[in-house]
Amino acid sequence: MLKSTGQPDLAIEAVGLTKTYAASKKMPAKQALKGIDLAIPRGSVFGLLGPNGAGKSTFINILAGLVNKTSGTVNIWGVNADKQPRESRAALGVVPQEINMDPFFTPREILELMAGFYGVPSSERRTDEILDALGLGDKKHAYVRQLSGGMKRRLMVAKALVHTPPILILDEPTAGVDVELRRSLWEYVRKLNAAGTTIVLTTHYLEEAQEMCDTIAIINHGAVAACEPTPNLLKRLNYKTLVVRPDPAVTVIPAALRDLDPVLRKDGQIAITYRTGEHSVEKLIVRLRGANIDIGDLATEEPDLEDVFVALTSG
Ligand code: ADP
Ligand code: MG
C-alpha cells in the first residue's frame, strides 16, 4: 500500500513464497523455499541470515526476476511483481552473489550501459559520482579484466545503483572480500541507508548481520526460523563461554565447580558457558581460583549462528 507521500511502509513483502527447482543434469530437484512470509520495512537495514543452502539467494533471485517462483506473492515498493514486473523491479538494485561482468568493457561503459538499460536520461546519470563514491574513479577507463576482485565487487555495487533505486539488495557482499574493502563497503551502505535507501543483505555470518542490520530474519532449510529486531534476537543469546587454559594443566575438573557445568576440552582448556545476566567473567575467575585452578590464559566465546539455531529450535 502506498502512503500519501508515494512511499510504501513496506519496501518488500513476500507472502507464502515457495520455490521448487526441477531436477537438471547438474542438480537433483529441490524445494528451496517452503513458504516464506517476510515484510521488510522501508528504511531498514534488513539481514537475511542463514547457512549455505538455506535459500537466501533463491529468495533474492526471485525478487530480482532471475528465478521464477513456484507460488506465492511478491510486492516490491508497493507494486505486485507479477502484475507489474518492470515497475516493481525498477525499485531494486541487486548485487548478486556471483560476479558477472563483461571483461572487455570499462567501469564507465558498464555503468552507462546499465543506465541506458534502465532508461535513465543522460542529464540524470550519476556515472562519475557513483564511481567516485565507490573508490573506482581512477579506474573508470580500465578494462574490467584488469580490476582486482575487490574492485569488481565494488563495481557490481556501482552497477546496481545507476537508477538510484530506493532498495539495494546485496547477496553475500563480503564473501571473499578483504577486511579493508569490507569496512569501506559497510560505510558506504550505511551512508546510503542514512540517505533513505532500504538495504537488504544476506550473510551467513551472525557477526556481520548483528553489526549491520536493524532487523534480522533467520532462514534455514527454506523457511523463516525467526524475524525480529536485532536487539530482541540477541537477547535470546544472552550467554557467553569462558575458556581458560589452566596452568599447570588439570586432568579432572574440581567437584567444587560442578554447579557451573564446566567442560574439559580435549586440548585441556576448561569451558564454562554462562548467562551474561547471572555471572560475570570476574566472578567465574574467583570461583576457578577458589578451586585451586591457576589460569594460564583465558578468552570468551560469543554465540555463533549454530548456537542461534539451537537456541531457536530448543524453544
Ligand atoms: P543460499 O543462498 O542460502 O546458500 P540457495 O538459494 O543458493 O541458498 O540454495 C538453496 C537450495 O537450493 C540449495 O540446496 C541449493 O543446492 C538448491 N539450488 C539452488 N539453485 C538450484 C538450481 N538451479 N537447481 C537445483 N537446486 C538448486
Ligand atoms: Mg547464496
Side-chain angles (χ1 to χ4, degrees):
M1 175 140 345
L2 288 177
K3 294 214 300 188
S4 54
T5 56
Q7 301 217 318
D9 289 333
L10 295 179
I12 293 170
E13 187 182 24
V15 182
L17 198 60
T18 73
K19 173 63 189 180
T20 303
Y21 290 105
S24 65
K25 273 183 197 146
K26 280 196 213 149
M27 286 183 166
K30 169 85 191 176
Q31 189 180 14
L33 299 182
K34 298 173 182 165
I36 299 273
D37 296 325
L38 278 179
I40 302 181
R42 171 169 53 87
S44 63
V45 180
F46 191 96
L48 270 180
L49 177 67
N52 282 325
K56 304 182 297 296
S57 292
T58 300
F59 179 74
I60 299 300
N61 291 338
I62 290 172
L63 297 180
L66 300 170
V67 165
N68 291 322
K69 65 184 160 67
T70 302
S71 66
T73 311
V74 172
N75 289 310
I76 301 169
W77 211 244
V79 178
N80 184 299
D82 287 324
K83 293 180 186 149
Q84 293 170 273
R86 277 177 60 93
E87 289 80 351
S88 66
R89 272 169 204 132
L92 294 181
V94 182
V95 185
Q97 190 172 345
E98 309 294 338
I99 292 177
N100 58 339
M101 271 176 305
D102 194 318
F104 298 106
F105 285 108
T106 69
R108 199 163 195 295
E109 286 166 346
I110 287 179
L111 262 58
E112 284 290 312
L113 281 170
M114 273 317 270
F117 172 78
Y118 281 109
V120 182
S122 299
S123 60
E124 287 171 27
R125 291 194 187 171
R126 302 162 48 226
T127 308
D128 293 313
E129 178 199 326
I130 295 170
L131 287 170
D132 286 340
L134 284 153
L136 292 167
D138 57 346
K139 294 282 177 200
K140 60 183 154 200
H141 300 302
Y143 285 118
V144 164
R145 64 185 149 86
Q146 297 165 333
L147 302 183
S148 70
M151 289 173 188
K152 282 185 194 149
R153 177 76 56 188
R154 276 180 277 161
L155 182 52
M156 296 281 288
V157 178
K159 211 177 133 186
L161 292 171
V162 294
H163 57 304
T164 323
I167 307 168
L168 178 66
I169 300 184
L170 303 131
D171 194 0
E172 307 260 0
T174 57
V177 152
D178 62 55
V179 180
E180 188 66 21
L181 171 60
R182 201 177 121 150
R183 199 176 321 114
S184 66
L185 189 61
W186 285 152
E187 213 172 285
Y188 186 60
V189 164
R190 282 208 182 88
K191 232 187 255 173
L192 284 174
N193 181 247
T197 308
T198 303
I199 309 288
V200 181
L201 63 94
T202 78
T203 178
H204 54 269
Y205 300 115
L206 175 63
E207 210 181 75
E208 190 160 282
Q210 192 174 321
E211 183 192 329
M212 285 301 295
C213 306
D214 49 54
T215 309
I216 298 176
I218 297 187
I219 72 167
N220 198 18
H221 299 301
V224 178
C227 180
E228 290 177 42
T230 307
N232 297 14
L233 196 78
L234 295 178
K235 243 183 250 157
R236 298 212 219 171
L237 298 169
N238 59 347
Y239 62 87
K240 288 185 182 174
T241 302
L242 173 69
V243 184
V244 303
R245 183 176 57 77
D247 185 16
V250 298
T251 48
V252 275
I253 294 174
L257 298 174
R258 207 166 278 160
D259 62 298
L260 298 172
D261 280 331
V263 174
L264 185 61
R265 293 185 175 172
K266 279 202 194 86
D267 58 6
Q269 301 199 98
I270 298 174
I272 300 171
T273 297
Y274 64 99
R275 296 245 162 230
T276 44
E278 286 168 21
H279 281 289
S280 65
V281 171
E282 213 175 333
K283 278 188 201 154
L284 291 173
I285 290 172
V286 171
R287 291 285 310 273
L288 286 159
R289 293 236 172 87
N292 286 322
I293 289 179
D294 286 324
I295 296 165
D297 203 357
L298 93 178
T300 55
E301 293 174 357
E302 311 258 341
D304 61 16
L305 185 52
E306 211 48 53
D307 299 318
V308 181
F309 288 125
V310 173
L312 289 174
T313 49
S314 65

